[in-house]
Amino acid sequence: MSSGAESRGEARGARLAAEADAEAAARRRQRLSLLGGALLFAAIVVGALVLISQADDSASDRSASDVQALFEGIPQDGIALGEPDAPVTLVEFADPQCPFCAGFTEDVLPSVVEDYVRAGELRMELQLLTFIGPDSATIAGGAYAAGGQDEVWQFADLAFARQEAENSGYGDQAFVEAIAADLDLDADEVVSASASPEVQDLLDGARKLAEAQQVSSTPSFLIGPTGGELTPLDVDSTDEASFAAAIDDALSAAG
Amino acid sequence: MSVSPSRAPADRLTLLVALLSFAGLAVAGYLTYVHYAEIDPVCVSGGCERVQASDYAELAGLPVALIGVAGYAAIALSLLARGELGRTATATLSLVGLGFSLYLTYLEVFVIEAICQWCVVSALLMGALTAAAVTRLLRPTAA
């Protein structure tokens, strides 16, 4: 008797357990399909974000003739721009691939050149650093090679205007040749000079000066009396007004 | 039936997801502040500035850090939604966050070639968050 009741109880228990198992399995399947849907949805959203990120092209619309017009008639000697006896010198450290450097060149440099360099009050030096990647060295080499034709600044300016995503491989030999050609430079000469010891010396010099001044990011600036001691200029590189104020200060300090 | 023992771990997971999303919110909030204040983040890896200054620091004009703030906030808010749908929403949001974090980490390592430890911390938080949120979805309470 008691054993029969026990076995009936067991059978009922087993049946309930089987039902519970089936229910649990169904729920598990349902949750797995929810996870599958979540994964699919997430993949689509992330894919869209990646596409937006890759398509984000911040190239400037400045042309070679805009760049030529900005520097037209201003003396250049190697990496230096402006009258050699201008009372104040502003040194710019820039990596050709650095987006903030391109931003400075686009937003602030034109007014500095027009208001101070053209007026003979300021001379600038362009110290090109190449820490971002190999493309930086190719472009910087091209810019310094353009110094043989006194167009370092035009070259760098146009290279910034055509800047693409960092280390995407855009800054190759063809990029250098196209800029040289669009600036009416002798492109063959630029290409051959970019591998010259003179250009290498300029790049080494920029790197050593940056190390000595503990420049750890670009763009960075030094300012001071021409031929005198230059000190780091800590300003917002996107703000015209703070640059103008800093140059005015340096001018009044230089007498 | 034994409701309470199986509910406890899920509640712990909810708490874990909440804590992780608050931590992520703090990191992304700090980076957003740094972005708008145009100051350099406190950095031990040396690469933060380069990462923050790179082209990829913004997506369609929005700083990536701000997108992170929105993401972590959305995950925290999704915890308020109850039931299986709520848990699925949390898991989905954290999977999106993880996928985007992985893409950003790929950019750091292979494209920008600089590491920002804040971003790494955020990616790790997002990884833990996703693990917790997915576990929470697959092992829910017997409610």
Side-chain angles (χ1 to χ4, degrees):
Chain A
M1 278 298 273
S2 70
S3 82
E6 240 167 59
S7 72
R8 272 200 304 279
E10 269 169 27
R12 186 166 168 271
R15 185 166 45 78
L16 284 177
E19 273 172 14
D21 279 356
E23 199 183 317
R27 240 189 245 154
R28 210 159 37 239
R29 271 196 305 276
Q30 190 195 345
R31 292 194 294 263
L32 277 173
S33 63
L34 281 173
L35 178 65
L39 274 170
L40 185 67
F41 181 82
I44 291 169
V45 173
V46 171
L49 286 172
V50 169
L51 281 180
I52 295 170
S53 155
Q54 294 289 338
D56 218 346
D57 193 350
S58 56
S60 150
D61 55 0
R62 273 172 306 143
S63 68
S65 56
D66 296 334
V67 170
Q68 298 281 28
L70 177 62
F71 296 104
E72 181 80 63
I74 299 175
Q76 281 191 51
D77 182 19
I79 65 167
L81 172 76
E83 298 291 342
D85 58 355
V88 171
T89 292
L90 176 66
V91 175
E92 176 191 355
F93 292 94
D95 187 305
Q97 291 197 87
C98 135
F100 279 6
C101 302
F104 167 79
T105 303
E106 168 128 12
D107 301 332
V108 178
L109 185 64
S111 67
V112 171
V113 169
E114 288 302 334
D115 299 348
Y116 296 97
V117 178
R118 200 172 277 288
E121 294 179 318
L122 183 71
R123 66 183 283 279
M124 292 185 70
E125 287 178 11
L126 185 59
Q127 301 287 356
L128 290 173
L129 304 178
T130 59
F131 66 96
I132 293 180
D135 287 2
S136 301
T138 308
I139 301 168
Y144 279 167
Q149 298 166 62
D150 290 331
E151 294 213 8
V152 170
W153 284 81
Q154 285 91 329
F155 192 106
D157 199 316
L158 198 53
F160 280 127
R162 296 178 182 180
Q163 189 182 71
E164 290 177 32
E166 286 170 31
N167 293 328
S168 62
Y170 77 94
D172 56 6
Q173 209 63 50
F175 181 81
V176 167
E177 283 173 26
I179 290 176
D182 291 346
L183 289 170
D184 294 326
L185 298 172
D186 183 335
D188 291 342
E189 201 185 304
V190 167
V191 168
S192 64
S194 66
S196 69
E198 288 81 6
V199 164
Q200 197 52 53
D201 285 350
L202 287 172
L203 291 171
D204 289 345
R207 186 171 45 78
K208 283 177 187 148
L209 183 62
E211 278 166 16
Q213 294 286 344
Q214 296 178 321
V215 167
S216 60
S217 65
T218 52
S220 286
F221 302 89
L222 303 174
I223 196 166
T226 298
E229 199 192 331
L230 305 180
T231 50
L233 173 62
D234 194 13
V235 291
D236 175 0
S237 69
T238 60
D239 183 32
E240 275 178 291
S242 55
F243 261 91
I247 297 168
D248 286 338
D249 284 352
L251 280 169
S252 50
Chain B
M1 307 267 271
S2 53
V3 166
S4 45
S6 66
R7 164 167 291 177
D11 281 350
R12 274 206 293 278
L13 283 173
T14 304
L15 187 64
L16 181 62
V17 171
L19 288 176
L20 288 169
S21 59
F22 290 145
L25 208 51
V27 171
Y30 172 67
L31 288 177
T32 306
Y33 161 72
V34 160
H35 182 96
Y36 282 114
E38 291 186 356
I39 56 175
D40 300 331
V42 178
C43 194
V44 293
S45 60
C48 303
E49 226 172 294
R50 266 180 64 194
V51 173
Q52 284 274 74
S54 93
D55 261 357
Y56 297 104
E58 290 195 347
L59 187 73
L62 286 174
V64 165
L66 186 65
I67 297 174
V69 168
Y72 284 114
I75 290 170
L77 285 176
S78 75
L79 291 175
L80 298 177
R82 304 213 157 251
E84 207 146 60
L85 215 57
R87 290 191 290 273
T88 307
T90 307
T92 306
L93 286 168
S94 60
L95 282 167
V96 170
L98 182 64
F100 194 51
S101 292
L102 288 176
Y103 168 66
L104 293 176
T105 307
Y106 155 80
L107 287 178
E108 277 183 75
V109 174
F110 294 105
V111 181
I112 310 173
E113 292 178 359
I115 288 288
C116 147
Q117 84 267 19
W118 293 101
C119 317
V120 174
V121 167
S122 176
L124 291 175
L125 283 173
M126 202 53 105
L129 223 164
T130 306
V134 169
T135 310
R136 187 167 162 270
L137 171 65
L138 293 183
R139 275 192 236 147
T141 59

